[in-house]
Amino acid sequence: MELFLDLFGNILNFTWQEGLMLLVGGVLIYLAIRRGMEPALLLPMGFGAILVNLPHVNTGGIEALFNAGIANELFPLLLFIGVGAMIDFGPLLSSPKMFLFGAAAQAGIFITLALALAIGFPLVDAASVAIIGAADGPTSIYVANYFGSQYQGAIMVAAYSYMALVPIIQPPIIRAITSRKERQIRMEYAPAQVSRTVRILFPICVTIIAGAIAPKSAELIGFLMFGNLIRECGVLDSLSQSAQHELANLITLVLGLSVAFKMKAELFVTRETLMILALGLVAFVFDTVGGVLFAKLLNLFSRRKVNPMIGAAGISAFPMASRVVHKLGLEEDPYNFLLMHAAGANVSGQIASVIAGGLLITLVERML
């Protein structure tokens, strides 16, 4: 009997909060494996959530990983190199007006900030929650860690979970605020030739301009643009491929495990966590609404109409948002190909979300 208690006594030490976190971990693993939603991130995050919530388990290794990669913002920055190497800015450079949709689709950040403050979150935590609306996991981690938010775990889970759920969240919102006639608007795609020189100068110029406008975003935007420069320079092809695949995948895996350190039951199972998850959804909803309504506003003053669904692709969830818009366009008209237009808005959202994160940090620091 004594041997039995030594071996299995830990089972009796489970709290209901720890049991709930085991369930949360199981759900994340299910979404990763069965639904294919961000598996490289949700799988290690789910497994890590299970591991750190087992009674009396030594989590020193995961804590060391967190301190080495997230507490000093190393992992988000390295991940941005891989993300930048994946992005082709050609569709955006061919149609620069798509920059506007990336800016408009950040509306959810500032609406959520106001709501979080109204609910009672302290300013730094409200800003950390609001950045979920950037629809960009690394930016959410960077900002939440910069402010030292006590809700980092919930913020990170919400950010990546809602990014994975974009194909479920966006379509009903888009249909609700557009007419079928608007969704059937065709947009001719006649891309301008983008020279190699322009492609090389673009990431350099964006880094300089963004750093001057929003200095707090300089690191994030700089690493993103450096990754893109590796892609476009033409002399580092093997390194570009490594950044897109090995680097991005490895950092994503360890990032998921590191985030799990903040998913301990005593930190995660709180009333505030439920509020953060709700506010994160609000942020994604208003990002989508802001982008679509801005496109509809442009159509009031333009002879060449824009399919307003393009505005929804202005969020940073790349490339899922552009695929969602393209799929909706084909459902309304099988000959309406919106993918390249949507991709231009989508990559502009990637840039805009990082700049918005820097502006949010600057705004909050001035208010403190």
Side-chain angles (χ1 to χ4, degrees):
M1 183 64 179
E2 208 171 294
L3 179 60
F4 178 84
L5 289 176
D6 286 340
L7 292 174
F8 301 102
N10 254 359
I11 296 176
L12 302 177
N13 293 324
F14 269 109
T15 65
W16 70 267
Q17 292 94 338
E18 289 169 337
L20 180 60
M21 288 309 300
L22 297 187
L23 179 61
V24 169
V27 169
L28 293 176
I29 292 173
Y30 170 81
L31 292 175
I33 296 175
R34 294 301 298 271
R35 298 295 183 182
M37 294 179 175
E38 296 287 340
L41 184 86
L42 294 190
L43 184 62
M45 191 185 296
F47 186 83
I50 293 174
L51 180 61
V52 300
N53 285 288
L54 296 175
H56 306 305
V57 166
N58 180 7
T59 58
I62 294 181
E63 182 178 8
L65 199 60
F66 181 89
N67 291 332
I70 293 184
N72 61 8
E73 293 145 3
L74 176 63
F75 289 165
L77 293 174
L78 289 177
L79 184 57
F80 258 25
I81 294 178
V83 173
M86 296 177 193
I87 296 177
D88 177 8
F89 285 113
L92 176 61
L93 294 171
S94 294
S95 183
K97 70 179 180 181
M98 292 299 168
F99 273 112
L100 299 174
F101 298 115
Q106 308 307 311
I109 296 175
F110 301 98
I111 292 173
T112 304
L113 174 62
L115 287 174
L117 289 171
I119 289 173
F121 280 98
L123 179 59
V124 293
D125 289 323
S128 300
V129 172
I131 202 62
I132 295 173
D136 182 5
T139 301
S140 297
I141 293 172
Y142 186 92
V143 173
N145 186 69
Y146 184 91
F147 287 132
S149 174
Q150 60 184 312
Y151 305 116
Q152 289 181 50
I155 290 167
M156 295 168 192
V157 170
Y160 278 104
S161 297
Y162 288 136
M163 282 176 61
L165 292 171
V166 159
I168 297 174
I169 295 172
Q170 281 200 316
I173 300 169
I174 294 172
R175 292 191 186 101
I177 58 177
T178 58
S179 66
R180 186 179 183 189
K181 183 177 179 180
E182 287 175 324
R183 295 194 296 272
Q184 290 179 328
I185 293 176
R186 293 188 179 185
M187 297 175 64
E188 181 183 353
Y189 185 65
Q193 187 68 28
V194 181
S195 69
R196 181 185 172 194
T197 301
V198 171
R199 288 177 177 269
I200 291 174
L201 289 176
F202 178 74
I204 299 172
C205 292
V206 168
T207 302
I208 295 171
I209 294 170
I213 296 174
K216 297 297 183 181
S217 70
E219 273 191 331
L220 280 177
I221 200 73
F223 274 66
L224 179 73
M225 290 298 132
F226 177 67
N228 187 252
L229 183 60
I230 292 174
R231 173 195 178 100
E232 301 295 353
C233 69
V235 294
L236 293 172
D237 289 342
S238 61
L239 191 57
S240 173
Q241 291 298 316
S242 296
Q244 294 178 48
H245 299 102
E246 288 83 3
L247 177 65
N249 289 333
L250 179 59
I251 294 299
T252 301
L253 283 173
V254 294
L255 183 66
L257 286 171
S258 304
V259 166
F261 178 68
K262 291 295 185 177
M263 294 178 69
K264 293 180 179 179
E266 62 268 23
L267 299 175
F268 200 89
V269 184
T270 64
R271 181 174 63 92
E272 287 77 11
T273 294
L274 293 177
M275 294 166 65
I276 289 168
L277 293 174
L279 287 168
L281 180 59
V282 168
F284 268 69
V285 169
F286 279 101
D287 281 346
T288 303
V289 170
V292 172
L293 292 185
F294 180 75
K296 295 176 76 166
L297 178 65
L298 283 184
N299 282 344
L300 296 177
F301 306 98
S302 176
R303 293 176 58 186
R304 182 173 292 182
K305 303 300 180 185
V306 173
N307 190 310
M309 293 193 296
I310 295 296
I315 69 171
S316 178
F318 177 83
M320 289 173 289
S322 53
R323 291 173 180 167
V324 166
V325 169
H326 179 60
K327 182 179 178 182
L328 288 175
L330 291 177
E331 288 176 0
E332 299 293 344
D333 178 354
Y335 300 101
N336 192 9
F337 297 96
L338 298 173
L339 183 59
M340 298 310 294
H341 298 287
N346 206 179
V347 297
S348 76
Q350 184 76 63
I351 298 172
S353 68
V354 178
I355 295 175
L359 289 174
L360 188 61
I361 291 174
T362 302
L363 175 64
V364 170
E365 287 187 334
R366 289 182 178 177
M367 294 173 66
L368 290 174

